[in-house]
Amino acid sequence: MKLGRNDDCWCGSGKKYKKCHLGFDSKIEQAQMEGMLVPDRKLLKTPDQVEKIRQSARINTGVLDHVAERIQPGMTTAQIDKLVYEYTVGHGAVPAPLGYQGFPKSVCTSINNEVCHGIPDEAIVLKEGDIVNVDVSTILDGYFSDASRMFCIGAVDEEAARLVRVAKECVQRGIEAIRPWGSMNEMAEAVNAHAEANGYSVVEEIGGHGIGLEFHEDPYVCYVPCEENDMLLVPGMMFTVEPMVNQGGREVWLDEENGWTIRTSDGKLSAQWETMLLVTEDGVEILTE
Ligand code: MF3
Ligand code: CO
């Protein structure tokens, strides 16, 4: 049902619709008429929700800092899992991966040619020269956060270090291209162009996601411009920027044996950093580092 100009706004501000979200809704309708995919209203976070999600994100950043201070050669990925579990639970939160669609551990640890969703294991030992992604996701009072970083274990070779650095720059470029009333493809274009300019490729099959009230919400976030998923970006949307950048080709395969781990098809390295953010009236607010 369409709201009248003098009705209370749908956002709960207590203001009249005409003084609140009427102009906002008209802009969305306009974009939709022009054929653009637009976000459903339920994807727009309220100020209260944003505050709860910020608190979840703070713990998530704390977990990553905790890992960063301890990760070293000789450590197993099961030990990283234990660090994540204990820190998270010790701060009154729950690791989102644990039991998520049957995922057996509290964190994803993806080494070298592993693109994402590596499963921590007592038999996997980090060794000098490895590059590893630690992907941490937290639930605090029902609110979700998600971020990942790359770690270079001891001294890594120059090519690996360059991939790790460029993958991080890709996230920064992507974020810089995000603007309210802009489009998702502007972000994807910036990410993909920077990867390609450095001789790398971006994985196409796996994207990012909306987040906050659930682990994975709409929109689907791609990092290679695509027509199907392009969407208008409006204030209140929250999603992850987490491109997977490959040293070689963009093709990947799923390890059917554990049902989770994605690896590069050519066996070359892959790197990923993940940030979650809120689109605001005048730009973005980064929620995780
Ligand atoms: N943290 C991953 C992401 O960025 C999701 C992993 S799902 C899990 O979307 F079950 F493997 F944890
Ligand atoms: Co994510």
Side-chain angles (χ1 to χ4, degrees):
M1 197 192 71
K2 228 176 141 122
L3 280 181
R5 298 173 53 80
N6 291 315
D7 289 335
D8 286 346
C9 188
W10 54 262
C11 77
S13 64
K15 290 191 220 163
K16 287 190 186 209
Y17 186 43
K18 67 181 177 196
K19 296 248 165 165
C20 199
H21 274 86
L22 175 63
F24 182 96
D25 285 351
S26 317
K27 265 161 114 173
I28 294 179
E29 265 167 42
Q30 180 66 34
Q32 194 169 27
M33 274 179 342
E34 287 164 12
M36 189 108 190
L37 201 60
V38 300
D40 197 276
R41 200 175 277 167
K42 70 174 193 298
L43 300 186
L44 308 180
K45 269 62 183 179
T46 66
D48 284 351
Q49 290 169 340
V50 169
E51 186 44 38
K52 299 277 199 185
I53 299 164
R54 275 192 201 110
Q55 286 168 19
S56 173
R58 262 178 225 130
I59 293 179
N60 203 75
T61 299
V63 178
L64 279 164
D65 290 342
H66 186 69
V67 171
E69 284 158 19
R70 288 161 181 82
I71 195 165
Q72 58 171 320
M75 194 177 231
T76 68
T77 52
Q79 284 174 289
I80 296 176
D81 182 64
K82 189 163 185 275
L83 287 173
V84 169
Y85 180 80
E86 286 176 355
Y87 184 99
T88 307
V89 170
H91 286 76
V94 178
L98 191 57
Y100 174 77
Q101 295 187 358
F103 192 80
K105 299 285 179 178
S106 296
V107 63
C108 297
T109 48
S110 308
I111 305 175
N112 298 335
N113 63 321
E114 291 173 346
V115 173
C116 63
H117 304 167
I119 304 177
D121 196 293
E122 269 150 36
I124 302 175
V125 181
L126 297 178
K127 57 181 194 308
E128 177 112 6
D130 282 343
I131 59 169
V132 53
N133 172 274
V134 177
D135 191 342
V136 174
S137 318
T138 300
I139 316 172
L140 179 69
D141 299 332
Y143 294 89
F144 290 77
S145 52
D146 189 6
S148 78
R149 296 181 196 161
M150 292 299 295
F151 296 100
C152 293
I153 306 303
V156 306
D157 74 45
E158 233 171 84
E159 260 312 296
R162 187 172 78 91
L163 176 69
V164 168
R165 174 174 56 76
V166 170
K168 187 170 193 182
E169 289 167 1
C170 283
V171 172
Q172 287 155 352
R173 299 284 181 112
I175 292 171
E176 282 160 18
I178 295 172
R179 52 184 185 93
W181 310 107
S183 76
M184 199 65 101
N185 265 353
E186 292 171 348
M187 179 279 293
E189 179 56 41
V191 168
N192 191 54
H194 190 62
E196 283 187 349
N198 282 280
Y200 299 143
S201 64
V202 177
V203 174
E204 258 182 302
E205 286 108 307
I206 313 158
H209 50 95
I211 182 155
L213 309 186
E214 288 171 54
F215 196 172
H216 296 115
E217 303 176 2
D218 278 346
Y220 178 80
V221 182
C222 52
Y223 308 102
V224 178
C226 60
E227 276 308 311
E228 325 82 82
N229 298 300
D230 191 20
M231 190 184 269
L232 178 75
L233 299 182
V234 314
M237 287 174 77
M238 209 179 256
F239 57 89
T240 64
V241 177
E242 51 173 321
M244 288 145 239
V245 181
N246 291 355
Q247 190 177 36
R250 56 166 44 106
E251 297 73 25
V252 297
W253 63 283
L254 167 71
D255 182 336
E256 306 274 356
E257 232 159 85
N258 72 19
W260 281 100
T261 308
I262 309 282
R263 297 193 179 82
T264 57
S265 295
D266 57 16
K268 293 191 175 172
L269 300 176
S270 185
Q272 176 185 32
W273 296 75
E274 172 176 21
T275 294
M276 65 181 268
L277 54 83
L278 171 72
V279 180
T280 63
E281 298 288 340
D282 48 16
V284 296
E285 176 185 333
I286 311 276
L287 297 173
T288 58
E289 287 154 46

